[in-house]
Amino acid sequence: MNRTQEIMELEGFKTLTPIQEATLNRKDRSRDFIGISSTGSGKSHAFFMTIFDLIDETKDQVQAVISVPTRELAYQLNERCKKLAEHFGIRVRLCVGGTEKKEGGLTPQIVIGTPGRMKDLFLDDKTLRLDTAKIMVIDEADMTMEFGFLEDVDAILSHMKSDVTVMVFSATIPEALQPFLKKYLNSPEIVTIDKDTDFQANVKHYLVMAKHKSYKEKVLDILPAIQPYVCLVFANSNKEAAEIAREMRENGYDLVELHGDLEPRERNKAIRTITSQKKSYIVASDIASRGIDLEGVTHVISCGFPKDLKFYMHRAGRTGRAGRDGLAIAIAKEKDMPAVENLKRQGIEFITMDVKNNEWVQQKDRADRKAPNNSPMANEIHNVLHRKKTKVKPNYKKKQKKQVERLAHRMKRQKIQDDIRRQKRERAKAKQREKNSKSE
């Protein structure tokens, strides 16, 4: 029995998923690889199986590096990898902010971490050699780029062996990612799996208007009307996630929360709880949503919409997997209506609902109501979509779509820039705390 078969037995897998088959059945596994596949398609085990087949447990050196954009995803991958590594007698190390920079004992053979922390240890502190690795996996590559971490990955790869095998996994491959791929991947094999199945046919999309209530108040209205196995509640900020979690706890809901304001120890505990499926309710911030991958999600509640609507797609794509039914519930205010209209144009069919006496009641469609004036960018999109047409010119729909895409791109870039500035401030604060502790 080879290691892939042992992993399947350990995890209770009867068959390989399409991305796993495509990754493992390659004629030349040393060839660079790009796997385009949605979260939940089994890509983590696709590269785990590849890596464990490659590792020589007798060699005391780093042989594989896995880069992920968020600490949440790094914690989750580490928990999964440790289970397999212990079975094969292989050493794994987690490298993220909040963990010790120096660890005693033998050198790890697999390193899982965020780009910034791995770069610090490898190139700045020179306490962890990554240049001995035979394989480098870049997971969630599109998110790595969106949040400004591609420069750190670039720095790491530029100091690794020229023959290192690079494997890139991502839900999408944006045009802006192409220069990086051309620089480091040599004639890669490209496989696309389930490109159009982010929204499965067996997932219903409910639109619930908050009206005069806050998002957290509306969540409490909705919860008695559902009987979830696992329900994910997503917020657009750490603060909002914490407030929703607090409100739910005060009303008797046992839950786990996952967002950027948690201490590293709390975040690690949350990941372990999520992985063990001990809770039916998970409240997460948007930045953490891409790092969540678990079985049995029956309901997803989105409190408003993220600026980048791809994140809404990733949220809703957590449910309705493996042929099961799923329900994605979007709580909206009037300011959210341009986002609703945008998603409708992308093929999402919302059913406008509300909860009365703890039961679902269908409402009239309110998606065509005029957007308020409190969001200039949203108003621009609304005006483009609802501009009065005196004469219909040829290709007007294509031109309209391009205008909306340009405006949406501006909104997306603003979000990314805000996130990068926030993360820079966090790094600066961390360095200052480190200096202060040394001076003491």
Side-chain angles (χ1 to χ4, degrees):
M1 184 184 290
N2 61 34
R3 284 182 175 174
T4 294
Q5 291 171 325
E6 285 188 63
I7 289 172
M8 289 182 70
E9 193 172 285
L10 279 169
E11 299 287 22
F13 297 163
K14 292 182 179 179
T15 58
L16 296 172
T17 66
I19 188 63
Q20 291 165 1
E21 283 186 350
T23 306
L24 296 169
N25 293 339
R26 292 177 296 147
K27 291 180 180 178
D28 181 7
R29 288 200 186 181
S30 64
R31 183 180 173 187
D32 293 339
F33 179 81
I34 298 174
I36 305 169
S37 181
S38 59
T39 301
S41 58
K43 59 186 173 63
S44 300
H45 278 90
F47 57 73
F48 280 159
M49 290 172 182
T50 303
I51 287 171
F52 279 106
D53 274 347
L54 184 75
I55 297 292
D56 181 350
E57 66 272 21
T58 65
K59 288 188 177 180
D60 188 22
Q61 61 184 27
V62 174
Q63 297 172 52
V65 177
I66 303 172
S67 170
V68 290
T70 67
R71 283 179 284 190
E72 288 82 7
L73 185 52
Y75 280 120
Q76 192 171 31
L77 282 182
N78 184 60
E79 287 297 314
R80 290 178 178 176
C81 193
K82 277 197 305 183
K83 174 185 173 183
L84 303 176
E86 287 170 5
H87 175 77
F88 294 115
I90 291 169
R91 298 183 297 277
V92 183
R93 179 174 172 185
L94 176 66
C95 297
V96 297
T99 57
E100 292 294 329
K101 281 195 171 185
K102 292 183 180 180
E103 288 190 1
L106 297 173
T107 302
Q109 289 146 335
I110 300 173
V111 172
I112 299 172
T114 48
R117 176 48 66 101
M118 290 196 298
K119 173 180 167 287
D120 288 346
L121 297 173
F122 176 33
L123 301 178
D124 300 337
D125 299 344
K126 293 181 170 49
T127 55
L128 180 65
R129 287 192 61 181
L130 302 181
D131 55 324
T132 56
K134 304 174 190 175
I135 184 169
M136 170 101 179
V137 173
I138 304 168
D139 193 18
E140 302 286 4
D142 51 356
M143 192 182 187
T144 300
M145 182 198 72
E146 286 168 10
F147 287 94
F149 302 139
L150 211 54
E151 187 178 327
D152 292 332
V153 178
D154 192 329
I156 293 168
L157 271 173
S158 67
H159 288 81
M160 296 181 83
K161 295 176 182 177
S162 59
D163 62 348
V164 64
T165 299
V166 181
M167 300 183 75
V168 173
F169 290 85
S170 189
T172 60
I173 300 292
E175 191 64 33
L177 191 58
Q178 294 294 343
F180 173 85
L181 299 178
K182 288 177 182 176
K183 181 178 180 181
Y184 287 110
L185 277 72
N186 181 29
S187 300
E189 181 176 347
I190 303 173
V191 172
T192 301
I193 304 292
D194 294 334
K195 188 175 182 181
D196 299 316
T197 57
D198 273 342
F199 290 98
Q200 299 87 336
N202 54 334
V203 175
K204 286 184 180 178
H205 295 269
Y206 282 3
L207 178 68
V208 179
M209 299 304 298
K211 299 179 182 176
H212 60 281
K213 294 187 176 181
S214 65
Y215 290 131
K216 61 185 179 183
E217 289 171 333
K218 202 63 187 175
V219 168
L220 292 178
D221 285 349
I222 290 170
L223 292 178
I226 61 175
Q227 292 79 42
Y229 181 72
V230 176
C231 175
L232 302 183
V233 182
F234 286 115
N236 290 329
S237 68
N238 297 335
K239 182 182 177 184
E240 223 171 58
E243 288 175 352
I244 292 168
R246 183 168 58 250
E247 193 82 6
M248 286 177 63
R249 282 198 185 95
E250 289 175 357
N251 283 271
Y253 290 96
D254 189 18
L255 60 91
V256 58
E257 60 183 291
L258 182 64
H259 52 77
D261 284 347
L262 296 178
E263 292 296 324
R265 187 177 297 177
E266 294 174 312
R267 187 181 291 117
N268 202 359
K269 182 181 177 183
I271 292 294
R272 285 198 300 270
T273 304
I274 289 170
T275 304
S276 65
Q277 296 188 353
K278 291 179 180 178
K279 307 284 186 183
S280 289
Y281 299 94
I282 300 166
V283 180
S285 63
D286 200 54
I287 194 169
S289 69
R290 288 281 294 278
I292 294 176
D293 181 13
L294 70 162
E295 296 293 325
V297 178
T298 53
H299 296 73
V300 172
I301 300 176
S302 290
C303 297
F305 296 86
K307 290 180 181 178
D308 183 351
L309 291 180
K310 279 193 301 185
F311 281 93
Y312 173 79
M313 296 179 181
H314 286 298
R315 294 176 182 181
R318 297 292 183 270
T319 188
R321 292 177 177 170
R324 300 186 183 95
D325 291 334
L327 180 59
I329 303 163
I331 303 174
K333 297 184 178 182
E334 292 295 341
K335 67 178 182 179
D336 298 316
M337 295 316 293
V340 173
E341 291 168 0
N342 192 325
L343 288 167
K344 280 188 172 184
R345 290 199 333 276
Q346 294 181 44
I348 307 307
E349 296 182 4
F350 286 106
I351 304 169
T352 305
M353 304 289 284
D354 203 354
V355 175
K356 293 182 180 178
N357 299 321
N358 298 341
E359 291 185 359
W360 288 110
V361 179
Q362 189 163 352
Q363 305 289 298
K364 290 182 180 179
D365 188 358
R366 300 183 61 189
D368 293 328
R369 291 185 65 171
K370 188 177 178 181
N373 295 323
N374 57 355
S375 173
M377 193 76 73
N379 278 335
E380 283 189 58
I381 293 176
H382 184 275
N383 291 336
V384 169
L385 290 172
H386 297 276
R387 187 177 295 147
K388 188 174 181 181
K389 303 176 184 67
T390 53
K391 291 182 180 179
V392 178
K393 296 181 180 179
N395 297 321
Y396 82 92
K397 284 189 176 180
K398 287 184 179 179
K399 291 177 182 177
Q400 182 190 69
K401 184 178 178 182
K402 285 183 180 179
Q403 281 181 282
V404 172
E405 285 175 350
R406 281 196 296 269
L407 291 168
H409 182 70
R410 282 166 55 192
M411 293 172 73
K412 175 182 173 181
R413 297 313 306 168
Q414 184 61 51
K415 178 181 184 297
I416 292 169
Q417 289 166 6
D418 291 344
D419 283 321
I420 290 171
R421 282 194 289 270
R422 176 184 59 77
Q423 290 173 27
K424 282 181 178 179
R425 287 196 298 271
E426 288 180 0
R427 288 178 186 173
K429 287 179 182 177
K431 285 182 180 178
Q432 188 60 48
R433 284 197 296 269
E434 193 175 333
K435 286 180 182 179
N436 292 341
S437 62
K438 285 180 180 178
S439 62
E440 291 173 0

